Every structure is written in structure tokens, then in C-alpha cells.
């Protein structure tokens, strides 16, 4: 993986060029490489050897306390000490001012080595970034700074037992906490009551405090909750209460652990049901969790989206990391496992020794598919990461278009690796044969860990609705035009290479089919007709985007090889070919139902499911 990361960062995305920007001027290709070296080493030493153990010894409750194995503490500490919680932050808050794309690349090592270890760094970083963007100076100094320092860890508390995809239906309430509540130095102070389900890292003692970011509704004067998302506000609810200077007061906030969820995978991270304000830990003698408003009342979801967009790129990267772990494990297994004999024009020679299964075309197919998925996914995430840096430090005239591109690519960055790197893990099991179906080999765990990614941070179905129902329509379709222009530029460049003629034409054709299907889906202006097939649209869109990126990566690989035989670069071209020959043609079937506004799913009746 390291060699591919270096190739993508240096040869393809030219990250060293970022050092010319003022923000990154103290960096260079060498400083980026030393961050990657350090993270790779920590991941290999503190994460990978314990990935199995945190799966086997899942978090458990003893006397109301979450018990985790020692390696969870060691990995969390190692992650804090790596400085990665502050990787992209300003120097004056203790950060490294690294480009986001380098942070992402470095985090790929941790995702591959042990996705459930490290104390949920991504949540803490996202939480701090949200507060830096929307918090008051005091909220930043007290809460965000301690997260950046790794003293306190963060959560995001959106989901409730009855409200997952539809957050407008949350029932958690926030009411002003007395007459002086508006004057609290930490922000307008409220009392929260309600239940939050599925909260990752909601309870533990990996850090001295937990900063919960909680969505809740402030009731109207009649006591009723405002329907819809406009009624949702955002609150900081610390597990342990703090004074205005940010010191712990020694008092617990009224946030109680109601139970742990027992998960299929991702078991290193405790997943919790939290009760806010039920009176288990009364504050000043009464029930109600203390929370400080972030931003304006009613702006909660808008603020939270700041965290969710980053989290979505992070989810995609996590899926890639786990996909990579399975790819490398199954490749190594296939090199060592002897089975069968090759077919020759004269048939099979039973007297000849068996060959390594990597010699069989069908096993190569499964490995090539994995390579195409995981390296394509990595390219997608790093490309988005590079766009984030461009949006942060690029010239004023290009920033709006970069932000628009990111808007349309975010559902793909989240969903594509979640689906196809999971499929890579599925194939990794298959390469192992019966051994892959046992717990003696790691690939079954990779599949279980990766299965989460199509579910959290907006399910696959919800990503499709967001893409077709909102993102491609943004700015009267101009955002989609921007993406189409970028893809067109790559096609033009790749046409200059004899080896990439068919691939360039396939991307151009795929893009056209996608644009035509988008128009056809919306031609009747009926959302129920257009959106009934939003998931096949999401799949096709993702495949076109990844084909585009594979074309560009292949172009750079061909140029770098300069006619010489180089196994690493040749492998890039072959994986690209696999994607074009075996994967991209799938978009025809996906987009056919989209363009026809196929009513089969929409018209199916509940009663017809009778079995
Ligand atoms: C391990 C784990 C960790 C998590 N961590 C967190 C966390 O830290 N913080 C947090 O707030 N949440 C967290 N979640 C919650 C997660 O975000 C939700 O599970 C997810 O948003 C889906 O909500 P739900 O489970 O209620 O499913 P539902 O919303 O009930 O969806 C069930 C199915 O119906 C489909 N569906 C729902 N509505 C529609 C629609 N309108 N149109 C088409 N299809 C629809 C969905 O796509 C899905 O397939 C976590 C979940 C898990 C499993």
C-alpha cells in the first residue's frame, strides 16, 4: 500500500506543490514522507498485532463501566502521541499544518491495521473541526483545544432509536437552564433530555472527558417540538462538567450509559445507547444534562454537516483501508497456497507438482478485482482530500468551483468504497477457500468490519437520494457540468497515449450515458419517478467517477514507465484495464432503469411480498 500511496501523492497529485502555499510553506515532500513513515510504523506496531484481539474481546459492561482490553488504551495513546489529532490544525493551537490529503493518506495505515483501534480519532478530529468552525472563542479554547491535545475525545450524537435516516424526527429536547442560562461563558446553557442510539465511543475511559455533540430540539413556547430539520439545534454536552476555564469540576453530567450494542464488526469501538437527562447523575440537584448551544438555534444540522462531510470522506478511506488489508492478505495467501495444475493444450499433467493458486486465471480475476477496487478507492479519497486542500488554500476565483465539486463527489467518496471495498473483502474470503470462512484467518473479520460502512454516516440508499435528488441538481446542474468538464479534460489528455485509446473512449461514453440518464430521470419532474432508482444511479455514478480516476492514474503510470517494463506501473495499467473491461460495462444496466424511470420497485406492493 505504501508504494501506491507514494505514487498517488507524488506522481499523480503532486502534493509537494502544496508546499508553495503559505500555509504549508514549512513542509516539503520529505516532511510529508516522514509523517507517513511514522504513521506506518505506529500502525504496524501498535495496531495490526492487536486487531484480532479487540475483535475477540469486544467491549463489555462491568458494574456500569465499559471494559476494554489494554491494547485499546495503548493504541489510543499512540495515536494521540503521533500528533494526528492535530495534523491539519494551525501551529498556534499545537497543530502541524499538514495538508488534509496527507492526513488522509497517513490515516490509511491505521484503517488497514486496525479500524477499531485508536480511540476513534476521526470522530475527535471532526468534532474539534466543527467547533473551530462554529463555536465561540471560549468553546474553541475549552473543548476543541482539549480534543486537539488528545486529552478529551469526541462523539457525534445524532441518531435516536426511532430516528436514524430521518433526523427531522428526533425527540431529544433542550430547554434553557434557568434565568442566567444565556450568560454562561461556555455558551447559552440548556438542559437536555432524550435517548441517543448507536453512539460510537459514547462511554469509555480512554480519555479524561468525552465531548458529546448532540442534536436536540428547543421546544416552542407551547412546549411542542418544531417539525422538520429547522427545529434542530446543536449542543456541546460534556460527560464530565467543566468550569468556564475548562477545568473539570469533579461533577458528572447527567449522561448515562443505558447499554452497549453488540456489533458484527468494528468491535474495538464501544457502541452505546446513551440516556441524556434521566436523572442518574443529577446536576445541581435535578435531572437534565447540561449542554451549551453551538451556533444559532435551528442551525444544528447545518453545523453538523460540517462534521458529516469530513466524516463521509473518512468513512470511504476506512473502507479502503480494510479492503487493502484483505487484498494483501489474499494475495499473499494465493502466492503460498498450492492447489491444482494449469490447463495446457495437452490437458493437465497429474504428475506435475501443484501450482500456487495465484497462477489460476480465476484467482487472478479475484485479486485484480480487489486491486481495482482498493486502489481505485484510494485514488478517489486522495483526490477528494486534494480538493479539500484546494478549497482551503486555493486562489479565490477557483474556490467556489472546488467546493461545488466536493459537494457532488462526497456521496461517492462515502458510498463507492463502502460497497466495492466490501466486495473486495468478500473476494478475499473466496480466494482463501474454506480457510477464509474460519476465524483462523483474518479475512472474515475484515468483511465484518467493512460491512458497517454502507450503513453509518447516511446509508447507501440515503447517499443515492442525496446525489440524484439534490447534488446533481445544485445550481441548475452547473455543479454536474463542472465535474463533466474535469472528466472531459482527463479524456483529452489520455487520448495522447496510444495505450489508452479504448479507455479514453469508454470514459467519454460512460459520462455521456450518465448525463443522459440524469436528464431522463428528471424529465417528468416527478421526484418519486426519478428517485425510485437512486441507488443504481449512485452505483453507476461511482463507477464512472472511478473509471475517470483510473484513466488518469493509468495515464501517469504509462508516462512514468516511459516504455520500460516496470512491474509496479504495469500493475496499475492492468488493474485499470480490469476496471474498464469487467466493471465499467455494468453502468449500462444500472442506468437503463434510471433513464426509463423503471417503476418495478416503486410499484411493488407490500402485500405482494407475501411468501
Ligand atoms: C456501528 C454503528 C455506529 C454508529 N455510530 C453512530 C454515531 O456515532 N452517531 C450517530 O449519531 N449515529 C451512529 N450510527 C447510526 C447510523 O448513522 C444509522 O444506523 C443510520 O443513519 C441508519 O439509521 P437507522 O439504523 O435508524 O436505519 P433506518 O433509517 O431505519 O433505515 C433502514 C433502511 O431503510 C432505508 N431507508 C430509510 N429511510 C429511507 C428513505 N427515505 N428512502 C429510502 N430508503 C430509506 C435505509 O437506507 C436503510 O436501508 C451508527 C450505526 C452503527 C450501526
Amino acid at each position: 500500500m505504501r508504494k501506491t500511496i507514494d505514487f498517488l501523492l507524488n506522481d499523480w497529485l503532486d502534493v509537494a506543490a502544496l508546499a508553495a502555499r503559505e500555509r504549508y510553506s514549512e513542509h516539503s515532500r520529505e516532511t510529508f514522507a516522514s509523517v507517513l513513515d511514522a504513521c506506518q510504523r505506529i500502525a504496524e506496531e501498535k495496531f495490526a498485532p492487536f486487531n484480532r484481539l479487540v475483535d475477540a474481546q469486544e467491549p463489555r459492561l462491568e458494574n456500569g463501566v465499559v471494559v476494554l482490553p489494554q491494547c485499546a488504551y495503548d493504541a489510543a495513546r499512540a495515536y494521540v502521541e503521533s500528533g494526528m489529532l492535530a495534523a491539519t490544525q494551525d501551529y498556534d493551537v499545537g497543530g502541524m499544518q499538514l495538508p488534509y490529503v496527507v492526513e488522509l493518506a497517513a490515516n490509511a495505515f491505521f484503517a488497514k491495521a486496525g479500524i477499531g483501534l485508536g480511540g476513534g480519532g476521526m470522530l475527535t478530529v471532526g468534532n474539534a473541526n466543527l467547533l473551530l468552525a462554529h463555536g465561540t472563542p471560549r468553546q474553541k479554547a475549552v473543548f476543541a483545544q482539549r480534543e486537539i491535545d488528545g486529552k478529551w475525545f469526541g462523539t457525534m450524537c445524532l441518531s435516536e432509536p426511532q430516528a436514524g435516516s430521518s433526523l427531522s424526527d428526533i425527540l431529544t429536547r433542550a430547554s434553557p437552564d434557568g434565568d442566567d442560562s444565556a450568560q454562561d461563558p461556555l455558551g447559552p446553557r440548556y438542559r437536555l433530555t432524550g435517548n441517543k442510539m448507536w453512539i460510537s465511543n459514547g462511554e469509555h475511559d480512554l480519555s479524561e472527558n468525552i465531548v458529546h455533540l448532540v442534536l436536540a430540539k428547543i421546544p416552542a413556547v407551547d412546549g411542542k417540538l418544531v417539525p422538520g430539520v429547522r427545529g434542530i439545534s446543536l449542543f456541546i454536552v460534556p460527560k464530565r462538567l467543566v468550569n468556564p476555564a475548562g477545568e473539570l469540576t469533579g461533577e458528572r453530567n447527567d449522561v448515562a450509559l443505558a447499554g452497549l450494542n453488540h456489533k458484527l464488526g468494528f468491535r474495538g469501538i464501544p457502541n452505546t445507547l446513551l440516556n441524556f437527562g434521566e436523572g442518574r447523575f443529577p446536576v445541581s440537584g435535578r435531572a437534565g444534562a447540561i449542554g451549551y448551544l453551538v451556533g444559532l438555534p435551528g442551525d444544528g444540522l447545518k453545523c453538523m454537516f460540517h462534521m458529516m462531510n469530513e466524516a463521509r470522506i473518512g468513512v470511504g478511506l476506512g473502507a479502503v483501508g480494510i479492503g487493502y488489508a484483505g487484498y494483501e492478505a489474499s494475495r499473499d495467501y494465493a502466492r503460498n497456497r498450492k492447489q491444482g495444475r494449469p490447463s495446457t493444450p495437452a490437458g493437465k499433467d497429474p504428475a506435475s507438482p501443484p501450482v500456487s493458486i495465484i497462477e489460476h486465471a480465476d484467482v487472478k480475476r479475484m485479486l485484480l478485482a480487489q486491486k481495482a477496487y482498493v486502489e481505485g478507492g484510494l485514488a478517489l479519497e486522495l483526490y477528494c482530500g486534494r480538493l479539500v486542500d484546494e478549497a482551503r488554500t486555493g486562489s479565490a476565483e477557483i474556490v467556489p468551483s472546488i467546493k461545488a465539486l466536493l459537494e457532488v463527489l462526497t456521496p461517492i467518496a462515502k458510498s463507492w468504497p463502502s460497497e466495492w471495498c466490501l466486495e473486495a473483502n468478500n473476494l478475499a474470503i473466496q480466494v482463501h477457500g474454506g480457510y477464509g470462512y474460519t476465524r483462523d484467518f483474518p479475512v472474515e473479520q475484515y468483511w465484518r468490519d467493512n460491512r458497517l460502512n454502507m450503513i453509518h454516516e447516511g446509508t447507501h440508499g440515503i447517499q443515492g437520494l442525496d446525489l440524484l435528488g439534490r447534488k446533481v441538481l445544485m445550481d441548475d446542474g452547473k455543479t454536474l457540468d463542472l465535474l463533466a468538464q474535469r472528466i472531459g479534460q482527463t479524456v483529452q489528455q489520455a487520448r495522447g497515449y496510444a495505450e489508452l485509446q479504448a479507455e479514453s473512449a469508454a470514459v467519454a461514453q460512460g459520462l455521456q450515458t450518465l448525463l443522459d440518464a440524469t436528464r431522463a430521470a428528471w424529465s417528468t419532474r416527478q421526484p418519486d419517478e426519478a428517485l425510485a432508482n437512486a441507488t443504481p444511479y449512485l452505483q453507476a455514478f461511482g463507477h464512472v467517477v472511478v473509471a475517470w480516476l483510473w484513466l488518469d492514474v493509468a495515464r501517469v503510470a504509462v508516462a512514468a514507465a516511459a516504455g520500460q517494463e516496470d512491474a509496479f506501473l504495469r500493475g496499475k495499467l492492468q488493474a485499470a484495464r480490469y476496471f474498464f473491461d469487467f466493471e465499467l460495462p455494468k453502468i449500462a444496466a444500472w442506468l437503463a432503469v434510471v433513464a426509463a424511470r423503471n417503476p418495478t420497485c416503486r410499484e411493488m406492493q407490500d402485500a405482494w411480498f407475501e411468501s
Side-chain angles (χ1 to χ4, degrees):
M1 180 168 87
R2 175 60 190 270
K3 207 168 167 188
T4 295
I5 285 181
D6 287 343
F7 172 73
L8 293 176
L9 289 181
N10 299 322
D11 298 60
W12 184 48
L13 295 174
D14 190 18
V15 289
L18 287 169
R21 310 252 166 102
E22 197 187 331
R23 179 166 182 80
Y24 310 123
S25 58
E26 290 186 25
H27 285 292
S28 62
R29 186 172 164 150
E30 287 69 35
T31 61
F32 296 154
S34 64
V35 171
L36 297 180
D37 290 344
C39 289
Q40 185 176 4
R41 182 178 46 74
I42 297 167
E44 285 170 7
E45 289 173 3
K46 298 281 185 196
F47 284 55
F50 306 103
N51 193 37
R52 210 61 185 156
L53 193 140
V54 283
D55 183 63
Q57 296 180 19
E58 67 176 320
R60 63 179 197 283
L61 260 182
E62 271 180 26
N63 303 322
V65 175
V66 177
V67 179
L68 297 168
Q70 182 57 40
C71 63
Y73 295 85
D74 297 341
R77 208 39 38 210
Y79 193 78
V80 169
E81 285 166 7
S82 75
M84 286 302 288
L85 289 175
T88 61
Q89 303 299 349
D90 296 352
Y91 293 129
D92 60 14
V93 297
M96 293 194 260
Q97 280 192 207
L98 274 175
Y100 177 63
V101 65
V102 177
E103 180 193 3
L104 272 180
N107 275 330
F109 295 112
F110 297 106
K112 182 182 146 208
I115 194 81
L117 282 158
M122 190 179 81
L123 279 167
T124 300
V125 171
N127 185 308
N129 283 342
L130 184 153
L131 292 176
L132 290 175
H134 300 288
T136 63
R138 186 67 65 99
Q139 289 174 340
K140 292 179 199 180
V142 169
F143 298 104
Q145 186 65 53
R146 280 174 178 73
E147 292 184 285
I148 290 168
D149 296 342
K151 293 193 173 99
W152 299 354
F153 287 174
T155 71
M156 53 194 291
C157 302
L158 293 73
S159 309
E160 298 183 1
Q162 80 296 340
S165 300
S166 178
L167 290 171
S168 58
D169 296 326
I170 62 168
L171 296 173
T172 299
R173 293 172 163 254
S175 305
D177 182 37
D179 295 340
D180 68 338
S181 59
Q183 274 78 48
D184 197 297
L186 290 172
R189 194 179 65 245
Y190 286 74
R191 290 275 184 160
L192 276 76
T193 51
N195 315 108
K196 290 290 175 181
M197 181 57 164
W198 302 118
I199 306 310
S200 298
N201 265 334
E203 177 59 34
H204 58 75
D205 59 355
L206 293 167
S207 56
E208 67 177 18
N209 203 1
I210 301 176
V211 181
H212 300 293
L213 283 179
V214 184
L215 291 182
K217 290 191 170 180
I218 302 168
V221 276
D222 61 3
K224 291 196 178 134
L225 297 181
V226 181
V229 293
R230 278 181 304 114
I232 300 177
S233 305
L234 178 66
F235 301 86
I236 301 167
V237 182
K239 168 183 164 181
R240 294 193 168 89
L241 291 168
V242 296
N243 65 24
E247 293 145 352
L248 296 172
T249 63
E251 201 181 352
R252 267 294 292 253
N253 200 356
D254 195 9
V255 183
L257 175 67
L260 292 176
N261 293 309
H262 301 287
K263 293 178 288 177
L264 182 69
F266 252 89
R267 291 187 180 159
I269 295 180
N271 190 276
T272 58
L273 170 60
L274 297 178
N275 289 349
F276 289 80
E278 66 174 8
R280 180 109 61 98
F281 304 104
V283 180
S284 307
R286 64 188 183 90
I290 297 292
Y292 305 99
L293 181 71
V294 180
L296 296 171
D299 274 356
L301 212 52
K302 205 170 89 187
C303 296
M304 199 47 120
F305 261 104
H306 192 96
M307 185 168 178
M308 275 147 67
N309 282 339
E310 275 180 42
R312 285 174 180 175
I313 296 177
V315 166
L317 184 88
V320 168
I322 309 171
Y324 243 106
Y327 166 55
E328 292 185 358
S330 59
R331 179 201 56 198
D332 295 349
Y333 181 85
R335 284 178 173 156
N336 291 311
R337 171 74 173 166
K338 305 270 188 256
Q339 196 77 196
R341 286 152 189 86
S343 294
T344 69
K348 289 185 184 174
D349 175 7
S352 65
V355 296
S356 299
I357 59 170
I358 201 166
E359 299 299 327
H360 300 305
D362 191 53
V363 175
K364 290 187 211 180
R365 172 189 64 80
M366 292 190 277
L367 292 172
L368 258 177
Q370 290 182 65
K371 186 171 165 68
Y373 297 146
V374 303
E375 293 188 1
L378 184 61
L380 169 66
E381 300 310 319
L382 296 182
Y383 186 86
C384 289
R386 185 73 166 78
L387 287 180
V388 169
D389 291 319
E390 214 56 54
R392 284 179 187 165
T393 61
S395 58
E397 61 275 17
I398 64 155
V399 167
S401 63
I402 299 291
K403 286 188 169 163
L405 263 178
L406 267 171
E407 284 292 329
V408 79
L409 284 175
T410 299
I412 301 302
K414 192 270 169 186
S415 68
W416 195 87
S418 299
E419 179 168 8
W420 301 102
C421 294
L422 176 69
E423 177 57 16
N425 291 144
N426 186 29
L427 291 169
I429 294 174
Q430 195 69 17
V431 169
H432 279 72
Y435 298 94
Y437 197 63
T438 71
R439 273 172 281 155
D440 301 321
F441 286 80
V443 284
E444 61 84 28
Q445 182 189 343
Y446 298 147
W447 185 87
R448 286 189 288 106
D449 286 348
N450 224 348
R451 188 62 189 85
L452 173 61
N453 289 318
M454 285 176 75
I455 297 173
H456 67 162
E457 291 300 338
T459 62
H460 222 50
I462 297 299
Q463 300 296 331
L465 293 172
D466 181 42
L467 181 68
L468 182 54
R470 205 165 73 83
K471 296 292 175 69
V472 299
L473 304 179
M474 275 169 60
D475 202 10
D476 284 335
K478 291 198 186 71
T479 306
L480 184 57
D481 292 345
L482 277 174
L483 179 66
Q485 280 162 21
R486 283 225 166 191
I487 296 177
Q489 285 161 6
T490 302
V491 168
Q492 280 308 326
Q493 281 180 303
R495 280 198 177 126
Y497 293 81
E499 298 90 332
L500 299 174
Q501 294 307 304
E503 288 78 5
S504 307
V507 170
Q509 178 59 52
L511 175 64
Q512 195 53 52
T513 315
L514 181 70
L515 296 176
D516 292 345
T518 311
R519 269 188 292 274
W522 281 107
S523 59
T524 57
R525 298 177 182 274
Q526 299 296 326
D528 58 337
E529 289 185 13
L531 298 178
N533 302 304
T535 295
Y537 182 79
L538 179 80
Q539 292 173 302
F541 202 110
H543 262 44
V544 170
V545 164
V546 173
W548 156 52
L549 297 178
W550 258 123
L551 179 64
D552 209 29
V553 170
R555 175 185 66 79
V556 174
V558 169
Q564 303 297 309
E565 188 57 29
D566 176 301
F568 173 77
L569 297 171
R570 190 67 182 76
K572 296 279 170 280
L573 193 57
Q574 199 72 0
R577 292 237 156 94
Y578 176 87
F579 197 80
F580 282 99
D581 294 346
F582 288 74
E583 291 293 329
L584 192 59
K586 291 177 181 170
I587 69 166
W590 288 324
L591 291 177
V593 292
V594 174
R597 298 180 304 285
N598 184 300
T600 305
C601 299
R602 187 166 50 90
E603 289 176 357
M604 180 68 187
Q605 303 288 307
D606 184 342
W608 302 346
F609 282 110
E610 188 161 339
S611 56

